[in-house]
Amino acid sequence: MIIAGVGLSVLAVVLVGILVARKVDGDSANYLVAGRRLGVPLVAASLMAAAVDSNATVGNTDLTSSFGFWAGTSLALGLAICLTLTGLFLAKPMHRLKLFTLGDFYRIRYGRGVEVSASVLMIFAFAILMAGNLVACGFLLERFLGLDYTVGVVIAVVLVLVYTIGGGMFSDAYTAAIQITITAAATVAMLWWVGSTIGFQIDPGMGPFDLEQLTSTDAGAPINWATLISLGIGDIVAIDFMQRVFSAKSPEIARRSCFTAAAGTALVGVAYGLVALTAVSVLGITTADGPVLFTLLDDYAPPGLAILVLSGIVAASFSTASGAILATSAVAVRNIFGVRRVVDTPGVKDPLLRWTRLAMVPIVVLGVTVALEVAQTGILLTLAFDLMLAALVVPFLLGLFWKRGGRDAAVAAMAVGLTVRLGLFVLTPTIYGVPNDVLYVPNDLVPATFDGWPTFYGAITSLLAYLVVAFLRPRSVAEEAWALTDTAPAATEAAPAAVPEAALAEPHDGAAGVGSGIPTEPGPRNDGLPAPA
């Protein structure tokens, strides 16, 4: 009965995704950024759907039940912080740039080499993110339908691929609206059921007001802060978040959507954390029997509630996986292989649309491979953005708001931050409290108590590297000229025009941050980027 109810909700999501695919109309601008015409409800729903996935629900409850409120709920709260910061400082300037992907920013600001390097790292990180959501679906189908875990992962990814290939961002946004509706209803129903039948109870030291979880190393404070920072700041360079920001009708709509999604994400995350603490305290449920939330729903909850909550989890996982597949494929095709949008050319189909769809197949294979090798949920999410924090956040933020740093500073920040973070990763025996079974080199140098600190060291060294190189080797006039001429016509259009000397002056429009040196002319071009001066 439970799996049948969940199956119906999944079918509804897939059908809606297929039906709205006609809105693409053969144009990659519609496919990748929904023609930049989504309003607050759809943009906010898609942003929240990307945040409230299996990591913020299943992963949240597992970590909360084992280590306390801040260990698990920080997954959702970190994402809510990220959306808040994006709304405050980034949504408007990034939307004004009229980009197709986040990788476009690294090309315009730092050049082709940085674009490719950043894009490779984004693809790797989002393969991990996609895998975390496929893991939850695999466990769900294994628990409630008796399917092999591998079969469950494959079924989930095929269903997501069916509607994502067809409708792109339009399918993602409309299915996200369904997912958020289900998730909101499920969250309210679950809180009411737990409160009225079990009663909320929290073991000493495990609750939200037991602040030693944020102050004491023995209570996991470094790990909990690392989670908040890696998601709150590292997720700023999330390609699926930015893809949704680019899809808004206007910069103001993008900003308001971020705030709405942040509030919803925080509320859902806290609710699931409180439910997990009660399940441990009253019912004695542990992760030894599988995901805590699945055990609670299967063994204790009424069938109707189980159907509603599980439908929300599956729909959330589908939405996040869909956004990750779309954004990752677009970055691979546009920013690594250099394919550009072509429209209004008789007899020529848009190559960016065609190749983005084809690229989804190998991207999905990569995600499935990670899901089968590392069957974790919340840990995979945090690890993905830990790497982004160490390598890409500093070049992004300083590149957006500070003109001095150029290609050399970006390369130094990426290389140093990533090297330090990966080096500490292989030397630390645990990852956010979980044994490091991914890539650990046994040693006596780094104890388990060092867990959490590598997140900070990676980000700090990246920042220092950028600042030092920016002062020693500032951005050249040639690099500033590149930022302007890069938006010239692609191969199917005329050759780039010469850049007037006046165009090299520092721009005064605040769209990309005062003094950033990024062109901010408002008129979108054929390839979706700002027109050259």
Side-chain angles (χ1 to χ4, degrees):
M1 177 180 176
I2 291 178
I3 203 64
V6 174
L8 288 174
S9 69
V10 169
L11 180 61
V13 168
V14 173
L15 287 177
V16 168
I18 293 173
L19 288 174
V20 300
R22 60 184 177 80
K23 291 178 174 288
V24 172
D25 195 28
D27 188 345
S28 57
N30 293 330
Y31 192 72
L32 298 181
V33 291
R36 307 188 199 279
R37 57 179 188 262
L38 299 183
V40 170
L42 287 178
V43 177
S46 61
L47 284 169
M48 185 176 168
V52 183
D53 60 358
S54 64
N55 299 291
T57 52
V58 180
N60 175 1
T61 51
D62 282 351
L63 291 172
T64 297
S65 63
S66 299
F67 305 108
F69 177 87
W70 289 101
T73 309
S74 291
L75 292 170
L77 294 179
L79 293 170
I81 291 171
C82 169
L83 288 167
T84 301
L85 293 175
T86 301
L88 287 172
F89 305 110
L90 302 171
K92 282 188 172 183
M94 288 303 293
H95 187 278
R96 289 189 183 116
L97 287 176
K98 302 295 182 185
L99 307 179
F100 273 153
T101 69
L102 185 58
D104 289 343
F105 172 85
Y106 289 91
R107 182 186 70 253
I108 294 173
R109 185 61 176 79
Y110 298 112
R112 176 67 174 153
V114 174
E115 173 193 20
V116 173
S117 301
S119 298
V120 170
L121 184 57
M122 290 175 191
I123 290 171
F124 176 72
F126 268 78
I128 298 176
L129 172 65
M130 186 198 320
N133 286 276
L134 296 178
V135 166
C137 292
F139 279 143
L140 188 151
L141 293 176
E142 182 181 51
R143 175 69 181 252
F144 293 96
L145 199 58
L147 292 177
D148 180 74
Y149 169 75
T150 301
V151 174
V153 168
V154 172
I155 289 175
V157 80
V158 168
L159 290 173
V160 173
L161 199 57
V162 164
Y163 69 83
T164 306
I165 281 183
M169 183 55 68
F170 274 119
S171 292
D172 179 85
Y174 280 88
T175 55
I178 298 175
Q179 180 257 309
I180 289 304
T181 301
I182 297 174
T183 298
T187 302
V188 172
M190 185 169 60
L191 286 174
W192 179 84
W193 173 73
V194 171
S196 62
T197 61
I198 302 174
F200 288 101
Q201 294 186 35
I202 301 174
D203 287 336
M206 297 285 282
F209 300 108
D210 295 307
L211 297 183
E212 62 268 20
Q213 297 175 50
L214 297 175
T215 58
S216 170
T217 299
D218 293 338
I223 298 174
N224 297 336
W225 278 111
T227 302
L228 287 169
I229 296 299
S230 66
L231 295 179
I233 299 178
D235 207 30
I236 283 174
V237 288
I239 53 178
D240 61 340
F241 273 9
M242 282 299 170
Q243 204 87 5
R244 291 162 165 90
V245 168
F246 300 156
S247 301
K249 283 182 181 179
S250 68
E252 178 60 25
I253 285 177
R255 185 183 71 89
R256 287 161 47 199
S257 298
C258 288
F259 294 146
T260 302
T265 299
L267 290 173
V268 172
V270 169
Y272 274 87
L274 295 177
V275 167
L277 292 172
T278 298
V280 172
S281 177
V282 179
L283 304 176
I285 301 174
T286 67
T287 55
D289 300 320
V292 167
L293 188 59
F294 291 170
T295 301
L296 175 66
L297 296 173
D298 192 22
D299 296 344
Y300 299 94
L305 177 63
I307 290 172
L308 190 59
V309 174
L310 292 174
S311 296
I313 293 171
V314 172
S317 299
F318 275 25
S319 180
T320 303
S322 172
I325 292 170
L326 175 63
T328 306
S329 301
V331 166
V333 171
R334 182 174 173 86
N335 301 118
I336 294 181
F337 294 103
V339 179
R340 291 292 179 266
R341 174 178 178 240
V342 176
V343 294
D344 299 329
T345 302
V348 177
K349 293 184 177 180
D350 189 346
L352 182 57
L353 173 61
R354 180 175 68 253
W355 285 106
T356 299
R357 282 172 166 163
L358 291 175
M360 289 182 179
V361 176
I363 292 297
V364 161
V365 171
L366 178 60
V368 169
T369 301
V370 175
L372 297 182
E373 291 296 324
V374 187
Q376 299 283 347
T377 50
I379 297 302
L380 285 175
L381 173 70
T382 314
L383 177 60
F385 291 106
D386 209 344
L387 298 176
M388 303 281 271
L389 174 65
L392 297 183
V393 167
V394 168
F396 173 63
L397 292 179
L398 293 189
L400 188 63
F401 296 110
W402 190 40
K403 183 180 179 180
R404 187 178 181 90
R407 181 192 62 231
D408 293 341
V411 170
M414 292 168 63
V416 172
L418 189 61
T419 300
V420 170
R421 185 62 190 93
L422 288 177
L424 294 176
F425 171 62
V426 301
L427 294 176
T428 308
T430 58
I431 315 171
Y432 305 104
V434 175
N436 184 356
D437 297 327
V438 180
L439 188 64
Y440 173 60
V441 177
N443 67 93
D444 297 324
L445 299 174
V446 180
T449 53
F450 190 65
D451 193 1
W453 291 107
T455 296
F456 302 100
Y457 284 110
I460 291 171
T461 53
S462 177
L463 175 61
L464 291 175
Y466 190 99
L467 293 175
V468 169
V469 176
F471 279 109
L472 295 177
R473 294 178 60 87
R475 190 184 190 197
S476 66
V477 172
E479 287 184 76
E480 293 184 22
W482 161 261
L484 293 168
T485 59
D486 171 64
T487 56
T492 56
E493 303 168 329
V499 182
E501 185 176 350
L504 298 180
E506 181 176 317
H508 52 77
D509 185 1
V514 176
S516 67
I518 299 176
T520 55
E521 288 72 13
R525 293 183 33 75
N526 193 39
D527 63 355
L529 294 173

